[in-house]
């Protein structure tokens, strides 16, 4: 995202100093996927994902897909996942029918490429689950990023073999459903994310989010589960390494 273009070096080194050992930077269209690759190539322990976000679903064609598939075949691009892909019925920047069509096409493509999928689901729980179930199983796995549902949805996501990713929202006092999910789901299926520049945890709510704040999110989950923050950090790092097959 543009928000980091002026101080990317210091954002990444501050994260490292705060104990964030690995970062995945995510593509949302063709250009940002290329940007993600070039950032991943520049920094150690940084990896890329590529894909077309539902916001951009009405602006892609077969050639874009071919370009994305070609990128994933080059090992030096450090691409560890396909996404963000999914459905967004809150913003509806693209018509839902188009979103569904492109979501299915990309799920199938990610499967062919043997890549784990990063799923974006905002206000579209039932269609998202329905399409995922249609195309399951996913041998390379996946993650529901910025999980925003209740325990019932969480159980369906877990049943697909997916991980659940929890952002800084878990630090908000009114996020009761997410507190329950963070408390209830098996720790070995939980991963953490920044989703920068959005969703900064308290006390930085509303400001630019930074990967160095990930420890705040981890600390809140530790508190909800009544375990140590080290256990949350170690387990979620292990989970992410396993899902994305990081070295
Ligand atoms: Zn998203």
């Amino acid at each position: 995202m543009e928000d980091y273009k002026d101080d990317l070096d210091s954002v990444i080194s501050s994260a490292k100093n705060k104990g964030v050992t690995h970062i995945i930077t995510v593509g949302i269209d063709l250009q940002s996927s290329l940007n993600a690759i070039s950032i991943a190539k520049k920094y150690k322990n940084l990896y890329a994902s590529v894909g077309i976000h539902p916001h951009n679903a009405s602006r892609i064609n077969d050639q874009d897909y071919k370009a994305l598939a070609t990128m994933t075949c080059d090992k030096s691009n450090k691409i560890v996942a396909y996404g963000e892909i999914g459905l967004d019925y809150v913003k509806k920047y693209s018509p839902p029918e188009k979103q569904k069509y492109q979501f299915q096409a990309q799920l199938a493509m990610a499967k062919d490429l043997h890549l784990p999928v990063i799923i974006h689901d905002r206000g579209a729980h039932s269609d998202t689950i329905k399409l995922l179930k249609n195309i399951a199983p996913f041998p390379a796995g996946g993650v529901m990023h910025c999980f925003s549902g209740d325990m019932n949805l969480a159980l369906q996501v877990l049943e697909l073999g997916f991980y659940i990713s929890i952002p800084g929202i878990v630090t908000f006092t009114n996020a009761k459903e997410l507190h329950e999910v963070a408390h209830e789901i098996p720790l070995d299926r939980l991963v953490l994310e920044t989703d920068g520049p959005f969703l900064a945890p308290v006390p930085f709510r509303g400001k630019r989010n930074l990967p160095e704040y990930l420890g705040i999110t981890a600390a809140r989950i530790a508190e909800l589960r009544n375990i140590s923050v080290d256990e949350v950090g170690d387990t979620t790092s292990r989970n992410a390494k396993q899902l994305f097959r990081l070295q």
Side-chain angles (χ1 to χ4, degrees), residues 53 84 120 145:
H53 194 279
E84 289 182 34
H120 172 104
H145 114 87

Side-chain angles (χ1 to χ4, degrees), residues 7-20 23 43 212:
D7 61 349
L8 189 61
D9 279 346
S10 76
V11 165
I12 290 170
S13 65
S14 305
K16 210 173 179 181
N17 292 338
K18 288 273 167 82
V20 176
I23 296 176
Y43 299 94
E212 67 189 78

Side-chain angles (χ1 to χ4, degrees), residues 144-150 153-154 157 164-167 178 181 193:
M144 190 67 92
H145 114 87
C146 276
F147 185 82
S148 61
D150 57 9
L153 183 73
V157 171
I164 288 178
S165 179
I166 295 192
L178 192 58
V181 170
E193 72 176 291

Side-chain angles (χ1 to χ4, degrees), residues 93-240:
Y93 290 149
S94 296
E97 284 313 311
K98 221 163 221 155
Q99 292 189 34
K100 282 195 257 183
Y101 178 81
Q102 305 293 13
F103 183 29
Q104 291 197 76
Q106 294 188 91
L107 283 173
M109 191 168 126
K111 256 178 95 157
D112 285 347
L113 296 167
H114 309 289
L115 285 170
V117 284
I118 300 176
I119 308 296
H120 172 104
D121 154 32
R122 202 154 167 231
H125 300 331
S126 70
D127 278 358
T128 302
I129 287 290
K130 199 161 80 188
L131 293 187
L132 286 171
K133 280 182 181 164
N134 280 349
I135 298 178
F138 294 92
V143 57
M144 190 67 92
H145 114 87
C146 276
F147 185 82
S148 61
D150 57 9
M151 251 332 271
N152 175 44
L153 183 73
L155 291 173
Q156 296 185 71
V157 171
L158 293 172
E159 208 167 298
L160 285 161
F162 280 21
Y163 289 80
I164 288 178
S165 179
I166 295 192
I169 294 176
V170 75
T171 64
F172 302 176
T173 34
N174 58 353
K176 298 286 179 226
E177 270 179 2
L178 192 58
H179 295 164
E180 190 193 352
V181 170
H183 176 260
E184 294 290 324
I185 63 169
L187 191 57
D188 65 1
R189 302 288 284 283
L190 199 160
V191 291
L192 305 179
E193 72 176 291
T194 311
D195 199 40
F198 313 109
L199 307 180
V202 173
F204 302 104
R205 188 173 180 175
K207 304 220 167 74
R208 179 177 73 149
N209 199 357
L210 295 169
E212 67 189 78
Y213 301 156
L214 205 64
I216 302 173
T217 302
R220 180 65 182 124
I221 292 171
E223 191 179 57
L224 288 162
R225 297 183 73 103
N226 201 17
I227 56 177
S228 73
V229 68
D230 280 347
E231 190 177 352
V232 174
D234 290 346
T235 314
T236 54
S237 293
R238 193 165 60 232
N239 296 344

